[in-house]
Amino acid sequence: MRHVNELRWDPLSREWIIVAGHRSKRPWREKDSTEKCPFCPGAPEIGSRSDWKVIVLPNKYPALIPNPPEPSIVSSKLMKPSKAQGICEVVIETPSHEGDFDILPLGHVVEYINTLVNEQIKLLKKPFIKYVAIFKNKGREIGVSLTHPHSQIYGLPFIPKKILDEYESFKTYYREHGICLLCDIVREEIATKKHIIYENKYFLILFPFYAKWPYEIHVYSKKHISSLTQLNIEERTHLADTIRVVVSIYNNLFEKEKEIPYIMVFHQKPPEANDNYFHLHLEFYQPYRDKDKKKYAAGIELGFGVFTHDLDPREEIVKLRGTCKRATSFLDEVLGKCY
Ligand code: ZN
Ligand code: ZN
Ligand code: FE
């Protein structure tokens, strides 16, 4: 029996679900052995080349493919599947099997951002791609069995619900106040300095007032920019700087007890949308409240969309700022300052 691979629409929550039955065959790598890593130089996927810093590979178990089969089931008015057409890619961040952005030189992380930008431009030329979702999942605790540093790119045939929701917020705010919502938040944060952890010439690292996850971190551009493609090389370098600092903060948050798992997402405007109605930002989530206490998204969060933030934000910002000072002292190069 062929596996089902299609999009299904939830008319209650108004969002798409990507059904990808074949992904159940994905291997879970029990042991982390360098010989078998598919992303290390020498692996069949990579070839013998070692003259690269960042490389893009097709996802071996893609949820979306460029030429998908017709949906499997007969459609009805309310249950109408759609083709799972799209592109899923993996971005190998470095040839070396261990580590994270905080041990890569700044120029290497700029190369990573350049790769994302080039890939995004390429994907958006495909008529069936409506949004490019860029993210990184790190850590076994959140289901990532491959430890080799990598990110992912999904060229989606629709605009994700979360992005549409944010877009609506930006649009409404702009129409009511004549200014971009995040530009206004950035202005207030720079004035009050209440939630800033780190600042360089073009970006702020914040522990936002509205953090859902423990020690959730956001990166906001100071200038109004709505997508990665609008960043010039100097701005990309400063974005790379903030990514290195955030990752170093996370890797030092619990006194080097462990490299914590985290998720990094890039929120950019829907490609066709008005530039005024979206402000580029990165969001980082991690589950630990303490070095051995985790926050779970459970009934109230998953069933109702209501987050309980089980820590005192006033203590978290103090800890994040202290960690920033320590974390940046381990970096070979830093372009801004901790608060
Ligand atoms: Zn590897
Ligand atoms: Zn803005
Ligand atoms: Fe966002």
Side-chain angles (χ1 to χ4, degrees):
M1 200 176 66
R2 211 186 70 204
H3 290 290
V4 181
N5 189 194
E6 63 193 24
L7 302 183
R8 294 185 179 187
W9 177 251
D10 177 348
L12 277 84
S13 61
R14 282 177 288 111
E15 61 199 325
W16 288 106
I17 295 118
I18 305 173
V19 182
H22 55 289
R23 277 169 58 86
S24 62
K25 295 278 174 299
R26 256 176 347 143
W28 174 259
R29 284 159 211 275
E30 268 321 318
K31 265 205 236 102
D32 184 40
S33 88
T34 311
E35 303 84 65
K36 284 188 190 152
C37 172
F39 301 157
C40 269
E45 289 89 338
I46 304 279
S48 53
R49 285 181 49 208
S50 58
D51 57 336
W52 52 278
K53 283 198 177 105
V54 182
I55 217 169
V56 179
L57 294 178
N59 190 315
K60 248 186 123 179
Y61 298 88
L64 303 158
I65 51 178
N67 299 301
E70 285 303 319
S72 60
I73 57 167
V74 182
S75 51
S76 72
K77 188 173 122 235
L78 286 167
M79 292 168 209
K80 206 164 49 178
S82 181
K83 283 199 289 184
Q85 190 174 32
I87 293 179
C88 296
E89 297 179 323
V90 178
V91 181
I92 320 302
E93 296 157 10
T94 162
S96 60
H97 186 70
E98 306 281 339
D100 204 337
F101 293 118
D102 55 340
I103 61 161
L104 296 176
L106 182 61
H108 190 130
V109 185
V110 176
E111 192 92 353
Y112 165 76
I113 293 170
N114 291 341
T115 306
L116 301 180
V117 171
N118 295 341
E119 225 39 51
Q120 172 157 318
I121 291 170
K122 214 174 74 191
L123 289 174
L124 285 176
K125 284 190 180 138
K126 312 253 178 215
F128 55 89
I129 291 180
K130 300 287 179 270
Y131 191 82
V132 176
I134 303 171
F135 61 98
K136 171 168 179 162
N137 297 333
K138 179 189 175 185
R140 304 179 71 79
E141 293 98 321
I142 53 171
V144 185
S145 58
L146 276 167
T147 52
H148 196 118
H150 67 284
S151 306
Q152 297 189 61
I153 301 180
Y154 273 33
L156 297 167
F158 55 83
I159 297 163
K161 171 100 178 341
K162 202 156 182 173
I163 296 301
L164 281 176
D165 286 350
E166 288 192 1
Y167 174 72
E168 279 306 314
S169 308
F170 279 113
K171 193 162 85 181
T172 307
Y173 196 88
Y174 197 95
R175 287 182 173 168
E176 283 172 6
H177 300 89
I179 182 173
C180 157
L181 172 60
L182 265 187
C183 283
D184 220 11
I185 289 176
V186 163
R187 187 192 49 73
E188 179 172 321
E189 292 294 354
I190 288 174
T192 65
K193 303 189 166 28
K194 274 193 181 153
H195 306 100
I196 305 178
I197 302 167
Y198 176 90
E199 176 177 12
N200 68 27
K201 195 169 167 198
Y202 298 103
F203 292 90
L204 297 178
I205 297 177
L206 294 110
F207 171 61
F209 177 71
Y210 33 84
K212 295 181 179 77
W213 290 94
Y215 303 101
E216 178 170 333
I217 289 177
H218 290 192
V219 172
Y220 299 157
S221 61
K222 292 200 217 169
K223 200 167 102 181
H224 183 79
I225 281 170
S226 56
S227 110
L228 279 178
T229 53
Q230 295 161 0
L231 298 171
N232 65 31
I233 185 64
E234 202 192 347
E235 291 160 343
R236 288 181 196 185
T237 306
H238 284 75
L239 178 59
D241 175 62
T242 60
I243 291 175
R244 280 181 5 128
V245 171
V246 174
V247 169
S248 188
I249 289 173
Y250 273 174
N251 284 339
N252 291 284
L253 193 57
F254 301 112
E255 336 291 333
K256 269 279 178 204
E257 297 275 340
K258 56 169 96 176
E259 282 204 5
I260 53 174
Y262 69 84
I263 290 165
M264 166 177 76
V265 303
F266 289 77
H267 280 178
Q268 309 184 67
K269 71 160 193 162
E272 321 254 277
N274 183 327
D275 274 338
N276 289 332
Y277 299 159
F278 208 94
H279 190 123
L280 167 77
H281 57 283
L282 275 60
E283 300 179 10
F284 292 77
Y285 327 119
Q286 70 79 36
Y288 283 95
R289 290 185 280 148
D290 203 337
K291 66 179 189 308
D292 40 32
K293 276 195 235 96
K294 264 202 297 203
K295 151 111 196 134
Y296 293 93
I300 191 72
E301 289 86 4
L302 291 179
F304 295 91
V306 177
F307 261 78
T308 60
H309 187 89
D310 312 327
L311 283 173
D312 186 334
R314 293 165 305 180
E315 287 167 18
E316 285 168 279
I317 183 79
V318 171
K319 185 170 169 70
L320 283 164
R321 284 175 171 165
T323 308
C324 184
K325 296 210 169 71
R326 212 150 32 82
T328 49
S329 74
F330 300 132
L331 296 173
D332 57 343
E333 189 182 0
V334 174
L335 303 182
K337 59 172 201 307
C338 299
Y339 269 66

